Amino acid sequence: MQFQSLGVLLWFLPVAGFIILLYLLKVRRREVRVPAKFLFPAITTDVRANALFQRLRPNLLLFLQLLAALLLLTALARPMIQAKGLPGQSVIVVDTSASMQATDVAPSRLEAAKNRLRRFVQELNPGEQLAIIEAGAQVRVLASLTSDKQKLLNAISQIQPTDTAGNLDEALRLAAALVGKSDESRIVLLSDGAFPPVSDFSAGSAKLVFESLGASSDNLAITAMDVQERTGGLEWFVGVRNFGSQPTKAILEFYAGDKLIDARPITVEAGQTIGQTLTARQLPEPLEARLKVDDALPSDNRAFRVGVAQKPVRVLLVGEGNFFLERALALEPNVKVDKAPSVPDSERGERVGGGNYDLVIFDRTAPVPVKARAVMVIKAQGGPIAALGQPVRTPRIVLWEREHPLMRYLELGSLLIDSAPRLTPAPWAKTLAESQQTPLIVAGEHQGRRWVGVGWDLLESDFPLQPAFPIFVANLMRWAVGEQGSATDLTVRTGVPFSLAVDPAETELAVRDPDGNTRTYPVNDGAVVIPGVERAGVYTIQGRKTEIRVAANLMHADESNIQPRTSIQLGNQTVAAQNTLTTLRDLWKPIALALLALLMVEWWVFVRRS
């Protein structure tokens, strides 16, 4: 037992002394002569008990009053005991990423987390509330703060495993927003810790508790797969990594068109990666690499590939680097991005064609002639698209060409720009967005090459944080590469959103997952955004005039490294894992009830004696 104010108990000595002193004090009475004292037995007894300096006789009232004083001071000292469960309001964040499917904890880590959740619900006391947040690729609040146990149990039954990386940072920030203002609240993370450090996070006044799940790191995973054209055929490469602590043997199988075409034994040393290559003249799709091995995580033992014949769109980003732009480009399927401080000599040239890149983006870097058939210039002097003049402070976009392919579905009226130079477009360039003082986005075709000019530094605006930014990048890819950007079979990573350009006559597309379940998505003017798929495998996307196959793979080192973490990094804080979760519960309320009952007994004894 612990006390919040242990010093209050020391007051029992003077309080008890004062009560005893009252019993020792002699009561002043007026003397009255009576004919016989047997008529007043109670009075004589009272006189004897209150005789000064005499030894106290046993007195039930005195004992009850001392006990009442002790209970009162004990309640004021706020005693607390350790108990199972969570106090006040608490949020449980459940990691549903791929690594939580590991079977080193029977039947799986995720099922162990769900069982732990059920115990939290059963231990819930009256007046306490729980909320449940699912942290997969998409963060979902399964149950808001409630004390309804049945509602919480129903929410737990909705938790399903995924083959994606978990969005733990967003889930934890949401939990902090729910209970971060109360110092009696808890944020409990049920996870194996298989996720990158979370930066810029604070739990506020709430206490954060991390319960680690898992017991083993033994796992063999396919971490890379690619198919390249070579002289005389195709070369299929598969990378396999051993995340365990012991050498592991397995059989690597190659399937093409659902038929086994090769199988070979492999041995991977602990912590090492090996590569296996298969060369063939033709490879009917879909392609699948499969590991036959007894390990804890089956999700990363298979990898799929479609769209081998389709060449990826290659983008060169020239400049110091732009995290937001790189991330938006990475969301686009079948796009490969390279970064460089300057354009390599092999990519320079006045004529279109002959280079390795389809699009070159000059971010705050003076453009040079390149072989790519599309060029984007971001706040850079030089090039034929536009000239930069004097800066304009806080320009606001008032007009934009909503029908142009680059500007479709964009809402730019709330865009905040700190500063932008005055833009003078070339005669062949069209203004797509402008403020009252200057054009801000221009585009056009010149000498067989498509050009896009953005007049301000993206990092000096909130454009990268707006929903319109990834849409703008998707529009850019489709417009810049032309017909090559039309929808064909493609390979994506699970949990990552991607967009497709389809026939404008389509109104909706049906996505059928590997288990045969179907979900529909609306099509707007020939574009559809898929918010990511949760299971690895080959998906079919169908419409009235569209049929596309999409291969989805995990291929995420953080998820395949299933070693349970003993601590995690959240912001500037290192949170150690706890195996058991206990809390301190106040006892002053039951003590106060006992005090009231005791006072009633004391009053009854006093009345009986009177």
Side-chain angles (χ1 to χ4, degrees), residues 422-460:
R422 195 176 298 276
L423 212 63
T424 304
W428 48 266
K430 182 178 181 180
T431 299
L432 302 183
E434 59 184 318
S435 68
Q436 292 181 343
Q437 300 91 348
T438 177
L440 292 169
I441 301 177
V442 296
E445 295 191 37
H446 182 62
Q447 296 180 351
R449 184 178 287 112
R450 291 186 171 182
W451 289 81
V452 180
V454 177
W456 75 94
D457 183 353
L458 297 178
L459 300 181
E460 293 181 356

Side-chain angles (χ1 to χ4, degrees), residues 391-568:
V392 176
R393 299 293 299 175
T394 62
R396 298 295 296 267
I397 295 180
V398 294
L399 293 173
W400 65 94
E401 293 288 339
R402 298 176 183 267
E403 299 303 321
H404 192 279
L406 272 173
M407 311 302 288
R408 287 177 182 170
Y409 326 120
L410 299 187
E411 288 295 333
L412 303 177
S414 61
L415 185 61
L416 299 178
I417 302 173
D418 181 62
S419 175
R422 195 176 298 276
L423 212 63
T424 304
W428 48 266
K430 182 178 181 180
T431 299
L432 302 183
E434 59 184 318
S435 68
Q436 292 181 343
Q437 300 91 348
T438 177
L440 292 169
I441 301 177
V442 296
E445 295 191 37
H446 182 62
Q447 296 180 351
R449 184 178 287 112
R450 291 186 171 182
W451 289 81
V452 180
V454 177
W456 75 94
D457 183 353
L458 297 178
L459 300 181
E460 293 181 356
S461 72
D462 65 348
F463 191 27
L465 305 178
Q466 297 259 2
F469 185 65
I471 301 175
F472 174 74
V473 173
N475 290 344
L476 169 68
M477 299 307 302
R478 286 194 291 270
W479 182 77
V481 301
E483 294 301 322
Q484 189 175 341
S486 59
T488 57
D489 293 350
L490 54 96
T491 301
V492 299
R493 177 176 287 180
T494 53
V496 178
F498 59 93
S499 61
L500 298 171
V502 297
D503 193 302
E506 299 282 12
T507 57
E508 66 177 18
L509 294 180
V511 180
R512 187 173 70 250
D513 66 20
D515 297 327
N517 302 314
T518 301
R519 185 175 179 180
T520 59
Y521 296 91
V523 178
N524 295 312
D525 294 334
V528 60
V529 176
I530 309 297
V533 294
E534 294 186 342
R535 307 294 293 183
V538 178
Y539 291 72
T540 302
I541 301 178
Q542 290 182 317
R544 289 182 297 176
K545 299 182 178 181
T546 303
E547 185 167 352
I548 306 168
R549 288 181 302 181
V550 176
N553 299 309
L554 174 60
M555 291 191 187
H556 199 293
D558 286 331
E559 296 300 325
S560 295
N561 183 9
I562 62 172
Q563 172 69 48
R565 279 39 166 199
T566 57
S567 64
I568 54 176

Side-chain angles (χ1 to χ4, degrees), residues 282-305:
Q282 293 182 340
L283 291 172
E285 298 182 11
L287 305 182
E288 178 186 355
R290 187 183 302 174
L291 282 174
K292 294 187 67 175
V293 62
D294 183 17
D295 62 4
L297 185 63
S299 300
D300 53 14
N301 291 343
R302 302 173 71 187
F304 305 86
R305 180 68 188 268

Side-chain angles (χ1 to χ4, degrees), residues 169 173 197-202 570-572:
D169 51 351
R173 291 188 182 99
V198 177
S199 59
D200 300 328
F201 169 76
S202 172
L570 300 178
N572 297 323

Side-chain angles (χ1 to χ4, degrees), residues 273-336:
T273 301
I274 66 169
Q276 295 290 307
T277 302
L278 174 68
T279 303
R281 289 185 176 275
Q282 293 182 340
L283 291 172
E285 298 182 11
L287 305 182
E288 178 186 355
R290 187 183 302 174
L291 282 174
K292 294 187 67 175
V293 62
D294 183 17
D295 62 4
L297 185 63
S299 300
D300 53 14
N301 291 343
R302 302 173 71 187
F304 305 86
R305 180 68 188 268
V306 295
V308 173
Q310 180 188 7
K311 293 183 178 180
V313 178
R314 298 185 62 90
V315 178
L316 177 63
L317 182 58
V318 182
E320 298 177 357
N322 186 321
F323 169 78
F324 298 103
L325 184 56
E326 294 169 22
R327 184 172 182 179
L329 288 169
L331 294 178
E332 289 300 303
N334 206 38
V335 172
K336 293 189 176 181

